[in-house]
Amino acid sequence: MTQPPHDEPFASSVEELREQAERTRAELGETVQALAAKTDVKARAQEKAAEVKEQAAAKAGELKEQATLKAGELKATVADLAHQAQDRLPEPVRDKAAQAAGQARAKAAEVGQLWEEKAPEPVRDNRTVLVAAAGVAVLVWLACRRRKG
C-alpha cells in the first residue's frame, strides 16, 4: 500500500509498527484540520463578501430613494418659485408674454408649413436640427424685439 518515509527505518517489531501508524494518524489528523481551517476561512470570506454585497445593495437603494425624494422636493420648489415669479409680474407684462408666445407658435407653424412646401428632400431629412435652429432664431428675434419695445 504505502511505503514508509525514507528517513525512517523499517519497523523491526510490531510495537514500532504501531507507533509509526499512530504518528502517521496524528500527522494526517493535523493535515485534515489544517485543510478544514483553510476551507472555513474561504467559506467565511464568501459569507462576508455576500454580506457586504447585500449591505451595498441596501445602501444603494436607500440613496436612490433619498435622491428621488430630493428631486421631487426640488421640482416642487422650482414650480412654486415659477408661479411666484409669474404672479409678481405686472398684468401688461404677462399679457405681452402670452401674446409673444402665441405669435411664436403661429410663426413656428407658418415656418413649418413653408418648410414642408419649399425645402428640398435632403434638407427635410435633417428637419429636427433645422427646426430647432429656426425656433432658436425666432426666440432670439422676439427677445431683441422685446428689448427695443
Side-chain angles (χ1 to χ4, degrees):
M1 285 193 192
T2 60
Q3 297 180 358
H6 296 287
D7 58 344
E8 291 186 23
F10 288 104
S12 57
S13 70
V14 174
E15 190 60 37
E16 286 181 17
L17 186 59
R18 283 187 184 143
E19 287 175 15
Q20 283 180 354
E22 194 58 41
R23 275 195 310 269
T24 302
R25 272 192 212 110
E27 290 172 2
L28 182 60
E30 291 172 7
T31 302
V32 168
Q33 284 179 347
L35 289 173
K38 284 184 180 180
T39 303
D40 285 348
V41 168
K42 287 181 184 177
R44 280 182 272 159
Q46 288 173 344
E47 289 173 4
K48 187 67 173 174
E51 184 180 319
V52 168
K53 186 176 180 182
E54 187 177 307
Q55 288 174 350
K59 189 67 174 177
E62 288 175 22
L63 291 174
K64 183 178 178 183
E65 187 176 320
Q66 288 174 358
T68 302
L69 289 173
K70 189 56 91 174
E73 290 173 8
L74 288 174
K75 186 176 180 181
T77 302
V78 167
D80 186 42
L81 289 173
H83 287 297
Q84 287 177 12
Q86 189 176 14
D87 290 344
R88 289 182 182 164
L89 286 176
E91 192 66 34
V93 173
R94 271 191 266 167
D95 290 343
K96 280 190 176 186
Q99 187 179 22
Q103 288 176 350
R105 278 189 225 100
K107 277 289 184 190
E110 191 178 311
V111 168
Q113 183 75 26
L114 187 63
W115 176 265
E116 288 295 324
E117 294 172 4
K118 305 283 182 177
E121 180 118 6
V123 175
R124 270 188 264 156
D125 290 342
N126 294 322
R127 177 182 168 177
T128 305
V129 174
L130 293 172
V131 168
V136 169
V138 168
L139 289 175
V140 169
W141 174 74
L142 287 172
C144 290
R145 193 171 138 208
R146 182 191 242 170
R147 283 186 186 161
K148 290 178 184 177

